[in-house]
Amino acid sequence: MEKPLILVTNDDGITAPGLRMLITIMKKIGDVVVVAPDSPQSGMGHAITLDTALFSKKMRIDLDNDDIDEYSCSGTPADCVKLALQELLPKKPDICVSGINHGANSSINVIYSGTMSAAIEAGIEGIPAIGFSLCDYNWDADFTHAQDFIATIVTQALENGIPKRTVLNVNIPKLEKKDIKGIKICRQAKANWKEKFDKRTNPMGKDYYWLTGEFELLDKGEDTDEWALANGYISVVPTQFDLTAHHVIQELNTWSL
Amino acid sequence: MEKPLILVTNDDGITAPGLRMLITIMKKIGDVVVVAPDSPQSGMGHAITLDTALFSKKMRIDLDNDDIDEYSCSGTPADCVKLALQELLPKKPDICVSGINHGANSSINVIYSGTMSAAIEAGIEGIPAIGFSLCDYNWDADFTHAQDFIATIVTQALENGIPKRTVLNVNIPKLEKKDIKGIKICRQAKANWKEKFDKRTNPMGKDYYWLTGEFELLDKGEDTDEWALANGYISVVPTQFDLTAHHVIQELNTWSL
């Protein structure tokens, strides 16, 4: 059987340790092509580049991977996927994997996530896609415990196919491998960020703000990604890009419009 | 009765004609505070600023509006809303309106939309919110025909309340007022962009790409926003930020994980 073609991308940039680990895992499963941002793009949401041109460069990052094609791209994660599919890949990939993100993309964070925007962009284009994130913001985070789980999820996705117009949002708890209890299919927990701006004044007397905040879980369900992660499971949330709140259409039809 | 406090924002920047028109309409309904990006932010999706500080400046753009507070912000549309709610507004607003965008945000465009990301950010924070877009990319677009319809939708939203964890995505066709047939509650049409990159070489011999594309409607339904707009209606899509594809959870539970 022909090996599957796997597009690997991320939002932390082409040199990020999480991406390098994902490449290593994917090379055991299929033929890998990497198209990733040339600089960190965290918090980029589903941004795309409309006002400037995109540059792309063929790269060689490490000797272990001189057998695969790697490209950096000056754009956002969504741009990387668009450029990969239209210009850089030899054919349509069998799957697109994004990550491994340095930091959680569970619950409401999916909205802000560059990692997931790359996966969603692939999903919009009809490519099976999965975003992987580790609940550890550290650049030196240990990803080794995640390897087998990621391989299993990708293999299952290739075997079963991901349901149409859905991409998977996978989050991995910061635990040792022996403490991970398994993989759980979940829904996105209701949560938000309680923002606090740290207001400062620069040497020229001009005020500026740093965004900080505390995560606030508003959901006691035991079927959520946050519950799974807090209880030692890897969470998998099927994520869609039809944002219609179909269940409220009837109510809105009672308005006097 | 006290007048409602209305937060007005957008993604085209604080000087955009669409924003100025929205301010004019909102001033007849309530007390207005404007917090908008200091530069155009189209296609920013739900980006937020994590790596740099935000600057904000109290502005006076035109003499007609010297009775309201206006602030520009160096960040994205989502940043503007966060900063407005935490730092700039005197109290929690009764509603947040974003736009009027120069260009459509119907169907899949909602994913890339800075206009809608501002509305969604407000929605996440529990504020009723609506994004308005005109299907005309022209900076000199004529917004006058939209005025009464926008006033009606905002007034109805204030009277009835927008269903929880939902924001409204309103698109207005490029038509004369007499040709607009009414307002329709819709679902997001299935569609995507058939991208094409325009590849060029710069004077230094380096390749670069401009993103172009054609909109591809994949949906024949007559209950969609694209159908409504093509048939002379203003479309209103209730939009949610729970991205879970609840209907596929059962299928994923059959995987060998």
Side-chain angles (χ1 to χ4, degrees), chain B residues 104-119:
Chain B
N105 280 315
S106 48
S107 67
I108 195 66
N109 299 303
V110 67
I111 291 271
Y112 307 102
S113 166
T115 305
M116 281 305 295
S117 80

Side-chain angles (χ1 to χ4, degrees), chain A residues 238-250:
Chain A
T239 299
Q240 62 187 357
F241 35 90
D242 174 6
L243 306 190
T244 312
H246 293 276
H247 59 287
V248 307
I249 286 181
Q250 209 176 355

Side-chain angles (χ1 to χ4, degrees), chain A residues 82 112 121 125 195 209, chain B residues 54 82 112 121 125 195:
Chain A
K82 285 179 189 286
Y112 307 102
E121 186 61 40
E125 301 275 345
E195 270 88 22
Y209 301 87
Chain B
L54 295 176
K82 285 179 188 286
Y112 307 102
E121 186 60 42
E125 301 276 345
E195 271 87 22

Side-chain angles (χ1 to χ4, degrees), chain A residues 13-160:
Chain A
I14 195 158
T15 62
L19 178 80
R20 309 320 299 174
M21 173 60 86
L22 192 53
I23 294 168
T24 305
I25 306 168
M26 290 306 112
K27 278 174 72 175
K28 292 178 192 153
I29 297 174
D31 293 324
V32 169
V33 178
V34 179
V35 183
D38 59 11
S39 62
Q41 298 278 326
S42 287
M44 279 310 279
H46 211 95
I48 50 172
T49 301
L50 298 172
D51 290 347
T52 54
L54 294 177
F55 287 85
S56 174
K57 207 159 96 183
K58 198 157 184 178
M59 308 280 285
R60 183 145 304 168
I61 309 283
D62 52 46
L63 288 174
D64 284 354
N65 292 321
D66 63 0
D67 53 335
I68 63 170
D69 285 341
E70 298 202 44
Y71 302 88
S72 71
C73 168
S74 60
T76 65
D79 290 329
C80 287
V81 171
K82 285 179 189 286
L83 196 67
L85 298 181
Q86 296 305 316
E87 295 286 332
L88 303 175
L89 291 188
K91 58 171 190 158
K92 192 173 164 171
D94 296 287
I95 196 163
C96 169
V97 292
S98 177
I100 306 168
N101 191 57
H102 294 248
N105 280 315
S106 47
S107 68
I108 195 65
N109 299 303
V110 67
I111 290 272
Y112 307 102
S113 165
T115 305
M116 281 306 295
S117 80
I120 288 172
E121 186 61 40
I124 292 171
E125 301 275 345
I127 316 286
I130 311 177
F132 292 99
S133 306
L134 180 70
C135 301
D136 185 349
Y137 285 92
N138 203 318
W139 200 250
D140 302 317
D142 181 13
F143 291 93
T144 47
H145 67 296
Q147 288 188 72
D148 293 347
F149 294 107
I150 290 173
T152 300
I153 292 168
V154 171
T155 308
Q156 282 290 301
L158 286 165
E159 262 176 40
N160 299 302

Side-chain angles (χ1 to χ4, degrees), chain B residues 2-253:
Chain B
E2 215 183 331
K3 283 167 89 180
L5 179 62
I6 305 177
L7 170 62
V8 181
T9 187
N10 77 341
D11 78 338
D12 289 320
I14 195 160
T15 62
L19 178 80
R20 309 319 301 173
M21 172 60 86
L22 192 54
I23 294 168
T24 304
I25 307 167
M26 290 306 112
K27 278 174 73 174
K28 293 176 192 153
I29 297 175
D31 294 324
V32 170
V33 177
V34 179
V35 183
D38 60 11
S39 64
Q41 299 279 328
S42 288
M44 279 309 279
H46 210 97
I48 51 172
T49 300
L50 298 172
D51 289 347
T52 56
L54 295 176
F55 286 85
S56 173
K57 208 159 98 182
K58 197 158 186 176
M59 307 279 285
R60 183 145 304 168
I61 309 283
D62 53 43
L63 288 174
D64 284 355
N65 292 321
D66 63 359
D67 54 335
I68 64 169
D69 285 341
E70 298 201 45
Y71 302 87
S72 71
C73 167
S74 60
T76 66
D79 290 330
C80 287
V81 171
K82 285 179 188 286
L83 195 66
L85 298 181
Q86 296 305 317
E87 293 286 332
L88 303 175
L89 291 186
K91 59 172 187 159
K92 191 172 165 172
D94 296 287
I95 196 163
C96 168
V97 293
S98 177
I100 307 168
N101 191 56
H102 294 249
N105 280 315
S106 48
S107 67
I108 195 66
N109 299 303
V110 67
I111 291 271
Y112 307 102
S113 166
T115 305
M116 281 305 295
S117 80
I120 288 172
E121 186 60 42
I124 292 171
E125 301 276 345
I127 316 287
I130 311 177
F132 292 99
S133 306
L134 180 70
C135 300
D136 185 349
Y137 285 93
N138 202 317
W139 200 251
D140 301 319
D142 181 13
F143 291 94
T144 48
H145 67 295
Q147 289 187 71
D148 292 348
F149 294 106
I150 289 174
T152 300
I153 292 168
V154 172
T155 307
Q156 281 291 301
L158 286 165
E159 261 177 40
N160 299 303
I162 296 176
K164 269 195 175 176
R165 303 181 63 74
T166 310
V167 301
L168 303 185
N169 181 16
V170 177
N171 282 270
I172 301 155
K174 184 187 172 181
L175 289 174
E176 287 189 43
K177 191 176 174 187
K178 67 175 174 46
D179 296 324
I180 294 187
K181 290 192 194 135
I183 299 170
K184 256 202 186 336
I185 313 298
C186 308
R187 64 173 173 84
Q188 171 188 329
K190 290 188 185 70
N192 67 11
W193 284 89
K194 243 189 140 48
E195 271 87 22
K196 254 192 73 175
F197 283 93
D198 184 348
K199 187 175 178 177
R200 304 185 181 189
T201 307
N202 77 6
M204 282 71 78
K206 212 167 148 187
D207 290 337
Y208 63 99
Y209 302 87
W210 287 101
L211 175 59
T212 68
E214 263 175 44
F215 182 72
E216 197 176 28
L217 183 59
L218 306 166
D219 197 321
K220 289 183 177 163
E222 301 195 350
D223 55 348
T224 71
D225 49 3
E226 291 300 333
W227 186 93
L229 293 164
N231 286 275
Y233 292 93
I234 290 170
S235 67
V236 178
V237 176
T239 299
Q240 63 187 356
F241 35 90
D242 174 5
L243 306 190
T244 313
H246 293 276
H247 58 289
V248 307
I249 286 181
Q250 208 175 356
E251 180 177 342
L252 293 178
N253 271 318

